[in-house]
Amino acid sequence: MSPSWLENLTLFIHPAGVTLERRAWRGASETHAMPVPLPSAEQPSWQPAVAGAQALLASHARPGNSLRVVLADQFVRYAVLPWSETIMGQGARLAMARALLRHTLSEAADRLDIALDRGVFGRNGVAAGLPQELLLALRQAAQAAKLRLSSIQPRLNAELAAGRATLNDGYIVLPDEGWLTLLGVRQGSPCLLRNHRSAGPASDELPGLLAAESSAVEVRKLQVFSQQQWPQTLGDWQVECRLPLINRAAHA
């Protein structure tokens, strides 16, 4: 077996830049980053980032590498799937997710592929809508580089793998440049999700959101995925900071 088959790549796609982490089979890792320009008026918002990703893969990937892709929340549309005993199967949950996204996005929802989290009895779920053209471009990039594409994940889903298990009540906060993603969890079940543009720093916008949505959760706790320094409290909310996935890769 070629050593390249034992190397794992993680590609982070963000509107402002792309980052590629390559982890060798013996555990050593290296990280490469590239800024990307703003899209032109005629381009989809993700196109410059995909072009940057192609350049990184051409320079630093080797045929046979396993590739995992993580998409910034700016490229994703989310919906909370309310729990129902009558909507438990994959097909039924998918139909509900499609209906919820179409209610919010109208016909634009038809251009999304929907990824569902693993259903848990008695708990709400999270659906993620990913642009079909973006997914196709990423698959073509992986194929052109002769890589084994293992998964394409939204950032929220990737961070939840690390954060949700340690937060049964409260909010998970994913601040980004000009963007804020906020997930409320109540007794282990997702109950509220905001994913939108932010006019200023998340720490300035959060107090208003928390005041409006404080009853959605039972515990006043924030789990913030940020490399920036945050205070230990925000009003009467306890703050716990965690290093984001992309920064954990850079420091590995």
Side-chain angles (χ1 to χ4, degrees):
M1 177 184 293
S2 169
S4 64
W5 278 68
L6 302 176
E7 295 179 342
N8 296 306
L9 306 177
T10 302
L11 180 65
F12 301 92
I13 306 289
H14 188 277
V18 291
T19 302
L20 180 68
E21 179 205 15
R22 183 171 70 190
R23 187 173 293 275
W25 67 280
R26 290 183 175 178
S29 65
E30 57 185 43
T31 302
H32 307 274
M34 175 183 294
V36 299
L38 293 173
S40 67
E42 296 78 21
Q43 287 181 312
S45 61
W46 48 262
Q47 191 164 318
V50 170
Q54 291 171 325
L56 280 183
L57 292 175
S59 299
H60 303 290
R62 297 197 294 176
N65 286 167
S66 174
L67 176 65
R68 170 195 179 203
V69 180
V70 178
L71 295 178
D73 290 325
Q74 288 91 325
F75 298 131
V76 186
R77 297 298 174 260
Y78 293 105
V80 172
L81 299 182
W83 159 253
S84 171
E85 292 186 357
T86 62
I87 305 176
M88 295 177 58
Q90 186 79 354
R93 295 181 79 230
L94 187 61
M96 175 190 279
R98 176 70 66 187
L100 290 171
L101 289 170
R102 189 174 179 84
H103 176 75
T104 303
L105 304 172
S106 299
E107 294 181 358
D110 296 335
R111 297 189 291 274
L112 301 176
D113 276 356
I114 298 178
L116 302 176
D117 63 354
R118 183 176 60 86
V120 178
F121 188 87
R123 293 186 178 181
N124 299 337
V126 174
L130 311 175
Q132 293 171 350
E133 290 184 344
L134 171 56
L135 295 178
L136 177 60
L138 291 171
R139 291 173 181 136
Q140 290 175 336
Q143 184 177 20
K146 299 181 180 180
L147 305 175
R148 296 176 292 120
L149 182 60
S150 61
S151 67
I152 301 175
Q153 288 182 294
R155 182 199 172 193
L156 176 61
N157 295 47
E159 299 286 16
L160 281 179
R164 185 169 162 186
T166 61
L167 184 70
N168 289 323
D169 279 290
Y171 281 110
I172 291 174
V173 185
L174 305 182
D176 204 341
E177 184 69 31
W179 201 268
L180 175 64
T181 304
L182 181 72
L183 176 69
V185 182
R186 184 183 180 95
Q187 296 182 2
S189 181
C191 60
L192 181 143
L193 210 165
R194 300 285 183 265
N195 184 49
H196 60 250
R197 295 186 187 278
S198 177
S203 56
D204 292 345
E205 182 176 347
L206 267 177
L209 281 174
L210 296 175
E213 306 288 0
S214 61
S215 61
V217 300
E218 294 184 342
V219 177
R220 290 178 176 264
K221 181 177 180 181
L222 308 176
Q223 192 168 112
V224 182
F225 286 76
S226 174
Q227 63 175 331
Q228 306 297 327
Q229 291 293 325
W230 279 63
Q232 293 184 343
T233 59
L234 193 64
D236 57 353
W237 292 80
Q238 177 187 353
V239 177
E240 176 187 341
C241 279
R242 299 181 65 121
L243 197 63
L245 182 67
I246 187 171
N247 299 110
R248 294 200 297 274
H251 288 81

